[in-house]
């Protein structure tokens, strides 16, 4: 289990590491749609050698699979738009409305059991999101994009549970990369930037970090139950805060730090409840 947790923590660090390159690109004027498209397209090419056995073209006839791919495409386009102007940690804090939303929607739409204790913890987590976003008290368009990304991601998580029996996790990972790349291609290819060595390096960094993080996520979930690993998803907030400080000198203000702390506490509190 210790190795599995280590894989999970590395995966949760690599995803915001990829977004660090995405932030550098969009902040310099590169279109979020191009960055999103290149991330999915290159990610699919990078991961294909590892997941070639999982390629099943019949899967792409399923409308549910296309809906799931569209949701992750919308989420990444929104989070990259948010990163253009907002600090990395604040964007990830607002984005974490997604897992909270998915918990309640899974109960109402999929009939999953909602426990009173976990519901209270997640409401504390939602309070943490509000402290980061500050709706009506300094909320910016960038943070609105981050919340929209979280909503897309929450719906994506629900859709992932909806199609869980349709194909294996590796096949679903490959399908989301391929479909999102196809859906973002018209806008992404229409906004190709002037290619220089730094831009090319950042594009590869963005795609590689995201792809490797998601691939390790699949490996971790193959080694342990989802319930055991789910709270460690919140490690992204710690990694995003550290990366924002290292690369951009950004640190959340006191209110936002309190919100991030509530989010992390709620996530690991869920882990304690699962073990109880």
């Amino acid at each position: 289990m210790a190795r599995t947790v280590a894989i999970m923590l590395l995966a949760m660090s690599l995803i915001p590491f990829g977004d660090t390159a995405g932030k550098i690109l969009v902040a310099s004027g590169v279109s979020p749609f191009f960055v999103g498209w290149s991330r999915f397209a290159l990610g699919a090419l990078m991961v294909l050698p590892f997941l070639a056995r999982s390629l099943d073209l019949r899967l792409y006839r399923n409308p549910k699979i296309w809906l799931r791919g569209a949701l992750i495409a919308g989420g990444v386009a929104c989070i990259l738009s948010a990163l253009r102007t907002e600090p990395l940690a604040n964007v990830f804090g607002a984005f974490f409305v997604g897992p909270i939303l998915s918990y309640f929607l899974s109960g109402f739409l999929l009939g999953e059991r909602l426990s009173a204790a976990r519901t209270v913890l997640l409401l504390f987590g939602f309070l943490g999101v509000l402290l980061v976003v500050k709706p009506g008290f300094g909320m910016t368009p960038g943070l609105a994009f981050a919340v929209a990304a979280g909503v897309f991601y929450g719906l994506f998580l629900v859709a992932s549970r909806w199609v869980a029996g349709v194909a294996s996790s590796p096949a679903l990972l490959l399908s989301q990369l391929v479909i999102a790349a196809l859906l973002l291609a018209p806008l992404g290819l229409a906004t190709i930037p002037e290619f220089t060595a730094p831009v090319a390096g950042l594009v590869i960094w963005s795609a590689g970090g995201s792809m490797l993080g998601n691939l390790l996520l699949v490996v971790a979930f193959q080694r342990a139950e989802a319930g055991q690993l789910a709270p460690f998803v919140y490690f992204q907030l710690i990694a995003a805060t550290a990366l924002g400080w290292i690369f951009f000198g950004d640190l959340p203000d006191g209110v936002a730090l309190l919100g991030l702390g509530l989010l992390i506490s709620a996530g690991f509190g869920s882990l304690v409840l699962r073990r109880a």
Side-chain angles (χ1 to χ4, degrees), residues 82 85-87 90-91 94 132-134 138-148:
T85 57
E86 298 300 322
N90 288 8
V91 168
V132 172
V133 173
K134 306 178 185 71
M139 183 175 182
T140 63
L143 285 176
F145 272 116
V147 171

Side-chain angles (χ1 to χ4, degrees), residues 233-256:
V233 170
Y234 287 84
F235 188 76
Q236 286 182 85
L237 295 172
I238 298 172
T241 302
L243 289 166
W245 176 64
I246 292 169
F247 284 92
F248 309 107
D250 290 332
L251 279 176
D253 61 27
V255 174

Side-chain angles (χ1 to χ4, degrees), residues 37-60:
W37 168 77
S38 63
R39 175 178 296 185
F40 287 118
L42 289 177
L45 291 175
M46 290 175 181
V47 83
L48 189 58
F50 303 99
L51 303 183
R53 292 182 179 180
S54 301
L55 182 61
D56 182 359
L57 296 179
R58 293 172 298 178
L59 183 62
Y60 296 84

